[in-house]
Amino acid sequence: MTAVLTSGDDGDLAEEPDGVPDLVAADPLAPVAVRPQTHVLVFCGVHLRDPGTAVPTPGLIDALARVGVGEHAARSTVSRMLRRGTLHRRRRGKRIYLSPSPRVRAELVEGGERAWQSPVNRTWDGQWTLLGFSLPESRRADRHLLRSRLQWAGFGMLQNGLWVAPRVVDVEALVQELDVLDHLKVFRAQVAAPSQVAELIDDAWDLATIARGYERFLARWDRPDPLPGAPDDLARQLWLLAEWTLLARSDPGLPVEYLPADWPAVRAEHVALRLRTRYEAGAAAIAAGLVERLGPDGGPGPS
């Protein structure tokens, strides 16, 4: 299971912009602009899944350099993620080893499951989750986090304060850390006349923008040699997983019968899965030279 980004609870996990990410590059075949902390989270989710593993600071800087992040930006990113508790550090002699905190490691697993669920909903049962909320102006930050969490879970805004998702969502589990339950009203529902499912989808989501994200992804990756300027498969893997995760975050998984016949997510999913497998062995071999196994006390672990 490839684990990557999650729902944007706080800190670095919340720094991606709301809605569909801007995946436009000056060169449509070049890698998209991805925040350094996103690459760190992808690296942690794929190569530091085991709690006994960690990467020395120079090793993480090396990994980031492969995707074009300079040393100063890499060190600043690491410092910020340490302050926020996203990364945990251990010292062994003069070396500092980095790993995701236990909380973030669990969130990365959850995020990986969410990112690699099929973006095309072929088995929709007609059920919707409706959610209404109202938070006072004094809780603007909480309102922002709630909206980010709802978007990650596939909700679209039907009208101000009313959000809808095309599936049954466990809202209580979704927002349990946000202290907003007293401000929510949640319903399970089916569309009834005179409302039409297609009209509801058009009101709550921007299909054209979602489709453009997949089309740009395909222009970059559906080629015999994607990202020919990348130094190696670890770089390609980090760019691929970061971009695909951001696309997954913006796609609510709408029922396929209400989408255009040539919906690009279908082909994009096949391409992403094929390339994830293609880069896995090469990226793992490179990462093995950067990652080390540590014991519970920070000392050497079993080989």
Side-chain angles (χ1 to χ4, degrees), residues 164-178:
V164 60
R167 66 181 56 80
V168 173
V169 179
D170 185 349
V171 173
E172 190 169 11
L174 182 69
V175 303
Q176 61 182 345
E177 299 175 5
L178 302 187

Side-chain angles (χ1 to χ4, degrees), residues 1 19 24 29 36 84 93 113-114 120 131 159 178 192 250 260 302:
M1 175 71 68
V24 181
L29 304 185
R84 290 174 170 167
E113 294 172 352
R114 169 70 173 85
V120 183
L131 181 147
Q159 59 189 52
L178 302 187
S250 69

Side-chain angles (χ1 to χ4, degrees), residues 9-159:
D9 293 349
D10 54 25
D12 298 282
L13 300 181
E15 287 199 12
E16 298 300 341
D18 290 339
V20 180
D22 181 7
L23 299 179
V24 181
D27 178 356
L29 304 185
V32 299
V34 175
R35 295 170 184 261
Q37 59 263 33
T38 300
H39 284 307
V40 172
L41 290 168
V42 171
F43 184 88
C44 289
V46 178
H47 301 293
L48 296 177
R49 290 193 299 264
D50 187 334
T53 56
V55 59
T57 303
L60 186 55
I61 290 173
D62 180 299
L64 290 173
R66 296 167 190 265
V67 289
V69 180
E71 182 174 354
H72 176 73
R75 291 188 180 277
S76 296
T77 298
V78 168
S79 296
R80 184 167 59 251
M81 296 177 80
L82 284 168
R83 288 196 304 270
R84 290 174 170 167
T86 308
L87 292 178
H88 171 72
R89 71 177 176 181
R90 288 177 280 180
R91 180 181 293 274
R92 192 171 80 188
K94 295 183 178 181
R95 304 193 79 181
I96 299 294
Y97 289 83
L98 305 167
S99 59
S101 67
R103 171 184 62 83
V104 170
R105 181 176 280 113
E107 291 176 346
L108 290 172
V109 172
E110 175 193 350
E113 294 172 352
R114 169 70 173 85
W116 291 100
Q117 290 174 354
S118 175
V120 183
N121 186 347
R122 299 177 176 88
T123 58
W124 188 54
D125 61 2
Q127 293 293 315
W128 298 83
T129 299
L130 271 66
L131 181 147
F133 72 88
S134 178
L135 288 171
E137 185 64 21
S138 60
R139 299 190 61 181
R140 291 181 63 187
D142 290 332
R143 190 162 62 227
H144 172 78
L145 289 174
L146 175 59
R147 287 171 174 165
S148 295
R149 178 61 66 91
L150 292 177
Q151 288 173 330
W152 172 255
F155 281 85
M157 189 171 70
L158 191 58
Q159 59 189 52

Side-chain angles (χ1 to χ4, degrees), residues 158 194-205 258:
L158 191 58
S195 298
Q196 300 292 324
V197 171
E199 293 176 356
L200 186 151
I201 289 174
D202 284 340
D203 288 342
W205 291 279
Y258 295 100

